[in-house]
Amino acid sequence: MLRRLALTAVVSLAALATAVPVSTASGPVSSGSVSSGPVPSAVPTTGPFAAARPSLGPLPLPLPPLPGLPDGGEGKGTGEAGEVLTRLTVSVENTGVAGADGTFELECGPTGGSHPRGQAACDRLAEAGATRSGRQELFRPTPEGTMCTMIHGGDATARIVGTWEGRAVDTTASRRDGCEIARWNSLVPVLPDVR
């Protein structure tokens, strides 16, 4: 994606540099119009910015891979082609919901594993990964000292271990108070809905 953005920026600059400014365009003056001399230009002709005209030569196409990016800026993710970037092990206990307890594997990109709602769970992870706050908050535990309602949501516990979008994940979840219930609910359908 970065490579596409860089290419778009370079092509846009080249198009702007080769465009003929309106003030230098010449052509016949139509009858009935009054010519009052040269049209003022937006390009400075005096002062410190007068010499700051970019000169773009021929564009180097195709662009070389962008340095510092593991995939060369192709937007395919890290590592080998076809590598799964999300692989989680979800262990759930004491939900009281038939079929919800157990240890499940979840792989996204492509969807796979033994998770009972694999595609919905991958969709939820992709939705959270699309926003900066989602990437920062999805697996983050409730900070110490947070004021939480004293609502007991049940004895369900879960542990999620693995990688999500190439980042390491190792977190636990429960339903012991209002903050943890809200956190659990934000992870549904990765975690089972036990409401």
Side-chain angles (χ1 to χ4, degrees):
M1 183 169 170
L2 287 175
R3 183 177 177 155
R4 282 185 263 158
L5 288 173
L7 180 61
T8 302
V10 170
V11 170
S12 297
L13 285 174
L16 289 174
T18 60
V20 177
V22 175
S23 64
T24 61
S26 61
V29 177
S30 61
S31 62
S33 65
V34 177
S35 176
S36 60
V39 178
S41 172
V43 177
T45 56
T46 61
F49 298 112
R53 299 187 93 180
S55 64
L56 296 177
L59 295 177
L61 294 177
L63 289 175
L66 296 174
L69 296 175
D71 63 352
E74 294 292 333
K76 295 177 186 168
T78 59
E80 299 296 319
E83 180 182 347
V84 176
L85 297 177
T86 298
R87 181 175 283 128
L88 299 172
T89 301
V90 181
S91 301
V92 183
E93 298 176 346
N94 303 321
T95 61
V97 176
D101 291 353
T103 300
F104 308 101
E105 299 295 324
L106 175 63
E107 294 179 359
C108 301
T111 303
S114 60
H115 195 284
R117 298 188 59 206
Q119 186 60 52
C122 288
D123 291 346
R124 172 65 185 113
L125 293 173
E127 176 188 343
T131 65
R132 181 175 180 204
S133 62
R135 286 189 304 274
Q136 293 175 345
E137 301 293 330
L138 187 63
F139 293 111
R140 182 178 291 170
T142 304
E144 288 292 323
T146 302
M147 301 283 280
C148 301
T149 58
M150 298 305 296
I151 299 172
H152 183 69
D155 295 325
T157 59
R159 181 167 185 204
I160 303 171
V161 178
T163 57
W164 173 53
E165 294 186 349
R167 292 184 288 269
V169 172
D170 187 355
T171 190
T172 58
S174 69
R175 299 181 62 80
R176 70 174 179 255
D177 59 33
C179 295
E180 287 295 306
I181 292 170
R183 187 165 170 258
W184 183 291
N185 290 343
S186 75
L187 287 165
V188 171
V190 177
L191 297 178
D193 190 356
V194 294
R195 293 182 237 186

